[in-house]
Amino acid sequence: MWNEEYDIVIIGSGFAGLAAALEACKTCSSVVVLDKMRTPGGNSAISGGLVAAAGSPLQEKEGIKDSPALMLEDMLRAGLDFNTPALAKIVAERSTETLLWTIEELGVEYKPNLNHLGGHSVPRTYNTTNTSGSGIIKPMLAKCRDKGIPIRLKMLLQRFIADEKGVIQGVEVRKGYLFPNEASGETWRIRARKAVIVATGGFSQDIKFRLTQNPILTQEIESTNQPGATAEGLVAALKAGATPTQLSLIQLGPWASRDEEGFGVGSMFSMLAGFPYGILIDLKTGRRFVNELSDRKLLVDAMLNTGRESLAIVDSVGVKYASTLNKCLKRGVVKQYEAIDELAHANRIPLAALLETIRTYNENVSKGVDEDFGKPIPDDLFPIENPPYYSIRLISKVHHCMGGIQINSRAQVLNIETHLPIRRFYAAGEITGGIHGASRLGSNAITDCLVFGRIAGRNAAKERTRT
Amino acid sequence: MKERFEGKPGQAQSTLFKAWEQKIEQSGSKEIGAAELAAFQAVFTGMIEILHNRAGAGKAESVHQLMEDLSVSALAVDQAAVCRQSGMSLVRFVYLFKAMVNVCEEYIMDHDSSIEEKILYLTALHRVADRLEYAVIEDWHLSDGDRTHDQHGTEKMRSAIFQSVGEGILLVDEDMEVVKANHQASEIYGLSRENLIGADIQSLTDRPGAEKLKAFFNELIEGQRLSAEIAGIYVDGRMFPTRTTVTRIDLDGRRLWTIVVLDTTEEKALENRLRHEKIQTEEMNLTLKNVLKSIESDRRDFEKSISVKIKTSILPGLEKIRRESDAGVRNSYLGLLADQLVALTSGFDAGIDAEMLKLTRTEIEVCRLIQNGLSGKEISEAMNLAFETIQTHRKNIRKKLKLSGKKINLNAYLTNRICEADNKENNA
Ligand SMILES: Cc1cc2nc3c(=O)[nH]c(=O)nc-3n(C[C@H](O)[C@H](O)[C@H](O)COP(=O)(O)OP(=O)(O)OC[C@H]3O[C@@H](n4cnc5c(N)ncnc54)[C@H](O)[C@@H]3O)c2cc1C
């Protein structure tokens, strides 16, 4: 029946899976992580490495007043109260503790400044020194190696195996799977003496599946995700009796570049500089149309609804926060201009309108109030007036799945019929639903994945070992 | 197709080509034409021959060496050009090529050399095959330029090949930044394409590796190729050995470098094992030599001790027997001598007996009577000697048997000695 067995079997080697593994291995010596891809890390490894934490040391240093309660409030507001408050609360409450865990236990290095991302009331976002989630994933993988936790690649989860009472016993995978060839690999069964943790992430790249949830998201709409961000892990969990929740809540990212594939290097340019320190304008009119620091949903809706082509502009002062600038320029994702008229001409923006837009915006900044769109104006925000100027052409791309399977506060997967936990079955990360509601705030996903990954790992390790 | 490498090379070649033709036939593909056969024979004969020569000599030399010997890319490109000119499509060429490689694989797997050797040959085969395939296809496209063809399809094919090669390929620009990478490179370093593209090539190796690469970048002139064994770093920090080959290409005034990386962990492990085995064998040889030496010296010691024993106890014993006229005494001496001779080779300590042989005839007689349980008085009567004389004899016997000053009863000692001698006989 079984080819192999471990105490704890974890599917997915992103933030959630690895956090679970590292936590579980503190009390359990037999842990394995499986992933279908040729490389570990999933979306986590290619993410921007932005991490939200309320009440963090940097906030204290910069004198920013924040609290888990305020973070929760932000989450619920952006999430339009679709969030499961109990779960969202856990993320907010454990955010700083978890951030410190990455620093103290993993040795993750962060930049010395905070970022203010859209939808957050205050700057509360850390960013890894290398502006990438790999700055967290690499130390996590190194730690796994250190602890002797095997990360086994090219293992595609096909189904969860349960006994007659529905208790999860193990998994059936395809060993030697070569993404995306369905026929590759051989059937292999791995038993879990304690529990199975599913952490297979979101399904932004699964065009067929996302179309079942939202008919707008056709294949014409690109995604920021890695190609393996597909739904079969989620579907396997549903077949094992998991409860689906809010699957149609799929987030598009407003900051990605039109001129490169996926998330690329442009997205971080917009997030770190273009939106907070610059303006977002409609190419046709040359006018602003939204608060650049709105949460993603509002931004995307504003960008999509009118079919606008949008451009973000920042000057040489604001651009210093863009740590990916050189790469952006090199790849032609961001263009540099010596004067506004040059920028307007190259992008076919009506010059007079653009100049007027910038003049009004600068006035607002000087006044300290954005009378037009209500963008918060912090002390380090200055008028756009110092050449050279930089611009990035934007397009919305499918980015994050807020929906997924339902878990309780112990990260147990809940059964769709009984609403009780499916025994020996845990989930964490983007595969779960309900935490972020209608719109996930930037930098909250990493916190969520790490918080619930650790909870899942700890509780799975506490399960009685089957003989 | 069970074969040994020792067979005549020509014979194996024809078997292989036959298997190849069969394979193509079975697949329902167009039969292999004479021109195709000739072209492939030209390319593969060398390879097969090398496999033969190496294995025939019974030494699984390092794969590296094998590779160096196989600089047949130019030949392959030439032959492919012939095929192309005769109207063959690239798809057909690659198909035939893959089939042939497949046949060679089966040949290696089926043949009865050790699994280690098989691995060596397979690795070698794949290295050569990948390189040939890449060279041929590059050339095919270059020469294809002036013909009308489906540009998209070709591009697809090129990318498919780029992805399917067994080695990691990275294209690096003047900032030492990776601008293109294949799946294999991703797999080798544990970094997805998204992470690999834009990465600093120096972050994929250690300090000396980075220095080496920098030196290569500076030294290389266009089209030249250099390779080195440098460390690679996996995403989790694990270091692994690689063989890295760097080539410079100049494109539209830009300098680019292709870096071909082969993870040699397995190869190295194999090499280490072989080396280890060699050391073990050498150690074993040394031990054996020492054992033989010590056996020899034991033998010499043994001979020496025997000759000493013969000189000190057996020859004097014989002399006594020669001079003795009394049959009883002579018998006693003979018995003792027989024991001594047995003890010479049986390894038993014959010390006591050797002492016994030093006794005089009278003393032996006295011993015999003591052994028979006679008292001093009885002995003096039996031998017709004064009691004092018997006591003197007793004292002398004790002295010769090295019993003086010891609390050992002579009767018990002598009886014991007899018992021992009896036991010896019984055991023999
Ligand atoms: C480009 C990008 C940038 C982002 N930037 C940020 C940011 O800066 N801050 C932030 O908070 N959030 C960010 N996010 C969101 C965040 O990174 C993700 O939500 C998070 O990484 C998800 O982690 P996870 O562990 O749940 O899943 P993942 O990291 O996606 O890992 C899931 C793993 O499971 C594997 N898998 C899937 N299906 C199977 C199967 N059937 N069998 C076996 N294995 C399977 C996948 O291959 C993958 O490796 C970003 C997302 C993207 C795409």
Side-chain angles (χ1 to χ4, degrees):
Chain A
M1 165 89 181
W2 304 104
N3 296 97
E4 282 181 73
E5 55 178 62
Y6 291 89
D7 281 354
I8 298 177
V9 177
I10 300 169
I11 330 290
S13 62
F15 290 132
L18 295 182
L22 289 173
E23 201 60 31
C25 88
K26 286 181 180 165
T27 56
C28 170
S29 60
S30 168
V31 179
V32 70
V33 179
L34 312 178
D35 201 295
K36 66 180 176 185
M37 302 303 277
R38 293 173 170 86
T39 57
N43 274 334
S44 303
I46 65 164
S47 72
L50 295 161
V51 188
S56 69
L58 270 184
Q59 283 183 325
E60 193 179 334
K61 202 175 125 209
E62 292 183 16
I64 294 163
K65 271 225 166 77
D66 193 11
S67 67
L70 184 59
M71 179 165 167
L72 177 61
E73 211 177 277
D74 289 345
M75 288 172 80
L76 298 178
R77 186 181 336 104
L80 303 178
D81 286 317
F82 276 58
N83 324 53
T84 311
L87 299 180
K89 187 162 174 246
I90 291 176
V91 172
E93 276 174 352
R94 304 220 180 150
S95 57
T96 293
E97 165 202 322
T98 304
L99 172 88
L100 293 176
W101 173 74
T102 68
I103 298 171
E104 284 153 19
E105 274 197 42
L106 303 177
V108 173
E109 290 174 23
Y110 294 96
K111 294 175 192 166
N113 62 297
L114 286 171
N115 299 281
H116 192 171
L117 296 199
H120 290 276
S121 320
V122 291
R124 62 162 72 97
T125 299
Y126 276 62
N127 195 197
T128 50
T129 319
N130 72 345
T131 322
S132 163
S134 68
I136 303 172
I137 284 291
K138 279 189 184 185
M140 288 181 108
L141 289 169
K143 191 102 185 170
C144 285
R145 182 166 73 101
D146 208 38
K147 299 278 178 194
I149 302 171
I151 313 288
R152 296 176 58 179
L153 303 172
K154 301 185 197 169
M155 299 279 248
L156 172 76
L157 166 75
Q158 293 218 292
R159 68 184 184 95
F160 297 97
I161 300 170
D163 66 12
E164 60 288 347
K165 288 185 196 137
V167 183
I168 300 298
Q169 292 182 302
V171 291
E172 185 176 298
V173 300
R174 285 198 84 77
K175 179 171 174 259
Y177 170 72
L178 292 173
F179 176 86
N181 181 353
E182 294 301 335
S184 55
E186 53 171 317
T187 298
W188 197 256
R189 286 159 161 244
I190 304 180
R191 182 170 180 249
R193 285 179 297 242
K194 281 180 185 287
V196 171
I197 302 174
V198 60
T200 51
F203 54 85
S204 291
Q205 284 283 16
D206 198 321
I207 293 161
K208 277 193 191 141
F209 192 89
R210 70 188 200 206
L211 273 174
T212 66
Q213 301 300 314
N214 184 345
I216 295 172
L217 303 179
T218 58
Q219 65 175 9
E220 272 71 53
I221 304 191
E222 250 195 85
S223 169
T224 59
N225 285 210
Q226 59 110 355
T230 50
E232 75 285 339
L234 171 71
V235 171
L238 296 179
K239 282 192 193 156
T243 309
T245 179
Q246 303 170 347
L247 293 183
S248 64
L249 299 180
I250 300 169
Q251 177 178 74
L252 282 84
W255 18 244
S257 157
R258 211 173 252 280
D259 300 307
E260 66 178 342
E261 265 177 42
F263 191 70
V265 286
S267 301
M268 289 304 279
F269 175 89
S270 314
M271 258 188 269
L272 298 180
F275 292 179
Y277 298 101
I279 53 171
L280 186 56
I281 60 149
D282 178 348
L283 277 190
K284 274 193 227 94
T285 62
R287 292 185 197 289
R288 286 174 74 208
F289 55 90
V290 70
N291 161 14
E292 291 83 355
L293 274 190
S294 311
D295 91 82
R296 291 166 182 176
K297 187 166 168 42
L298 293 175
L299 278 175
V300 169
D301 288 349
M303 284 164 71
L304 280 185
N305 283 349
T306 53
R308 291 186 179 99
E309 263 207 57
S310 321
L311 189 84
I313 301 171
V314 68
D315 72 355
S316 61
V317 174
V319 89
K320 67 172 189 273
Y321 298 97
S323 31
T324 58
L325 178 65
N326 286 340
K327 285 195 171 149
C328 289
L329 289 170
K330 184 167 166 179
R331 297 186 197 178
V333 167
V334 168
K335 299 262 166 46
Q336 177 180 327
Y337 304 97
E338 289 313 315
I340 292 292
D341 52 357
E342 205 180 291
L343 186 152
H345 181 73
N347 290 288
R348 304 202 194 165
I349 309 169
L351 177 61
L354 180 59
L355 287 172
E356 174 57 19
T357 301
I358 292 176
R359 197 188 56 76
T360 332
Y361 172 79
N362 286 350
E363 257 177 41
N364 287 342
V365 171
S366 307
K367 267 189 277 179
V369 212
D370 176 9
E371 282 169 354
D372 301 313
F373 299 100
K375 178 178 182 168
I377 316 277
D379 291 346
D380 65 345
L381 182 62
F382 299 102
I384 299 176
E385 56 192 14
N386 294 296
Y389 301 96
Y390 300 86
S391 71
I392 179 169
R393 298 175 352 122
L394 302 172
I395 191 166
S396 300
K397 298 184 185 177
V398 181
H399 183 60
H400 189 87
C401 298
M402 273 75 68
I405 55 179
Q406 204 173 43
I407 53 168
N408 64 14
S409 57
R410 306 189 65 232
Q412 290 174 298
V413 176
L414 300 180
N415 181 283
I416 186 157
E417 284 171 326
T418 63
H419 308 297
L420 294 171
I422 299 176
R423 285 179 48 207
R424 298 182 185 270
F425 196 21
Y426 295 82
E430 202 175 324
I431 193 185
T432 66
I435 292 162
H436 305 285
S439 176
R440 170 178 71 78
L441 289 176
S443 71
N444 273 7
I446 297 186
T447 312
D448 163 24
C449 293
L450 294 176
V451 166
F452 274 103
R454 294 179 73 203
I455 292 176
R458 198 173 311 134
N459 290 329
K462 281 189 206 146
E463 292 274 2
R464 195 176 41 77
T465 310
R466 260 188 293 234
T467 46
Chain B
M1 199 177 50
K2 199 84 181 169
E3 277 204 57
R4 295 195 55 83
F5 277 159
E6 290 92 73
K8 276 191 237 113
Q11 185 192 323
Q13 272 163 36
S14 59
T15 324
L16 282 179
F17 284 112
K18 227 173 259 139
W20 177 56
E21 286 179 275
Q22 259 169 23
K23 202 171 209 103
I24 300 294
E25 216 171 285
Q26 278 161 10
S27 75
S29 195
K30 201 177 69 178
E31 226 174 83
I32 290 169
E36 290 172 334
L37 182 60
F40 274 78
Q41 268 173 345
V43 176
F44 277 88
T45 302
M47 257 159 91
I48 296 167
E49 221 158 89
I50 279 174
L51 282 176
H52 268 280
N53 296 343
R54 294 292 153 146
K59 44 181 169 172
E61 268 177 48
S62 87
V63 187
H64 191 58
Q65 191 52 45
L66 189 58
M67 300 312 311
E68 294 316 304
D69 291 354
L70 280 174
S71 52
V72 283
S73 315
L75 181 63
V77 169
D78 288 350
Q79 291 301 325
V82 174
C83 292
R84 183 176 63 239
Q85 277 143 22
S86 71
M88 191 198 266
S89 73
L90 180 55
V91 178
R92 169 79 173 170
F93 185 88
V94 171
Y95 183 71
L96 293 182
F97 186 87
K98 294 254 191 226
M100 189 66 214
V101 172
N102 202 235
V103 166
C104 290
E105 274 168 8
E106 281 166 8
Y107 173 66
I108 293 172
M109 286 320 288
D110 275 354
H111 122 349
D112 46 319
S113 50
S114 72
I115 187 71
E116 284 81 5
E117 272 182 305
K118 284 183 188 174
I119 294 173
L120 279 176
Y121 295 128
L122 281 180
T123 329
L125 176 71
H126 289 152
R127 269 183 73 87
V128 182
D130 287 347
R131 197 175 282 176
L132 291 190
E133 195 176 326
Y134 200 65
V136 165
I137 284 160
E138 275 296 288
D139 181 68
W140 201 292
H141 286 308
L142 288 178
S143 344
D144 245 6
D146 49 356
R147 294 197 303 171
T148 45
H149 62 278
D150 178 0
Q151 187 66 46
H152 187 64
T154 317
E155 187 46 51
K156 236 182 169 168
M157 167 78 92
R158 191 200 298 263
S159 128
I161 284 154
F162 178 68
Q163 293 301 359
S164 69
V165 185
E167 288 152 324
I169 304 179
L170 301 155
L171 196 63
V172 175
D173 70 8
E174 288 179 339
D175 302 327
M176 297 199 93
E177 208 180 286
V178 178
V179 290
K180 205 168 155 62
N182 67 352
H183 287 325
Q184 191 61 24
S186 273
E187 205 166 317
I188 289 177
Y189 294 105
L191 295 172
S192 63
R193 206 184 66 89
E194 292 86 342
N195 282 130
L196 207 45
I197 305 296
D200 184 340
I201 185 76
Q202 297 174 87
S203 69
L204 304 179
T205 179
D206 60 1
R207 195 65 171 281
E211 293 302 323
K212 189 99 219 168
L213 286 179
K214 263 197 259 175
F216 278 3
F217 280 29
N218 288 333
E219 280 167 35
L220 279 168
I221 53 170
E222 167 157 36
Q224 196 192 1
R225 173 158 59 209
L226 286 174
S227 69
E229 314 248 329
I230 63 174
I233 303 178
Y234 192 68
V235 62
D236 66 359
R238 174 178 56 85
M239 307 274 275
F240 57 91
T242 74
R243 185 167 314 115
T244 299
T245 307
V246 186
T247 321
R248 182 175 134 189
I249 42 178
D250 292 9
L251 262 183
D252 311 328
R254 273 211 311 165
R255 285 187 303 165
L256 292 168
W257 291 267
T258 46
I259 301 189
V260 179
V261 184
L262 182 73
D263 179 345
T264 54
T265 307
E266 265 171 46
E267 216 177 276
K268 276 271 145 49
L270 206 64
E271 259 173 42
N272 280 344
R273 233 179 69 204
L274 289 177
R275 195 177 316 131
H276 189 73
E277 268 168 22
K278 202 170 147 225
I279 291 173
Q280 254 183 353
T281 319
E282 274 165 10
E283 275 172 0
M284 186 80 100
N285 276 341
L286 202 68
T287 316
L288 271 177
K289 239 184 241 162
N290 285 339
V291 168
L292 283 177
K293 234 193 251 165
S294 80
I295 287 177
E296 176 64 19
S297 94
D298 279 359
R299 195 179 62 86
R300 257 186 251 123
D301 287 353
F302 187 60
E303 275 173 3
K304 213 154 88 192
S305 84
I306 287 186
S307 92
V308 168
K309 274 186 204 155
I310 290 176
K311 255 187 233 146
T312 56
S313 38
I314 298 185
L315 291 179
L318 275 175
E319 181 61 21
K320 287 205 174 101
I321 292 168
R322 200 165 58 81
R323 278 195 253 126
E324 184 53 61
S325 52
D326 184 285
V329 177
R330 222 171 31 218
N331 269 345
S332 288
Y333 274 135
L334 276 174
L336 288 166
L337 206 59
D339 286 351
Q340 279 293 296
L341 284 171
V342 171
L344 257 189
T345 50
S346 68
F348 280 100
D349 178 16
I352 310 167
D353 308 72
E355 307 301 340
M356 292 292 284
L357 277 174
K358 288 180 192 153
L359 303 182
T360 62
R361 111 172 241 282
T362 319
E363 285 161 356
I364 287 278
E365 185 60 21
V366 171
C367 280
R368 210 160 46 98
L369 296 174
I370 292 174
Q371 248 171 295
N372 288 342
L374 270 64
S375 70
K377 215 151 160 214
E378 284 165 330
I379 293 170
S380 77
E381 276 164 20
M383 292 186 69
N384 207 7
L385 287 171
F387 180 74
E388 287 71 27
T389 316
I390 298 299
Q391 289 307 94
T392 314
H393 280 310
R394 283 181 82 112
K395 226 183 264 168
N396 287 340
I397 291 169
R398 287 189 76 94
K399 203 188 278 169
K400 287 189 182 167
L401 294 183
K402 299 196 173 127
L403 296 173
S404 318
K406 287 185 193 163
K407 279 195 177 161
I408 293 172
N409 176 293
L410 196 54
N411 181 16
Y413 178 84
L414 290 170
T415 315
N416 215 14
R417 190 198 72 81
I418 297 294
C419 285
E420 251 176 42
D422 283 353
N423 282 344
K424 268 181 225 169
E425 243 157 67
N426 291 345
N427 287 343

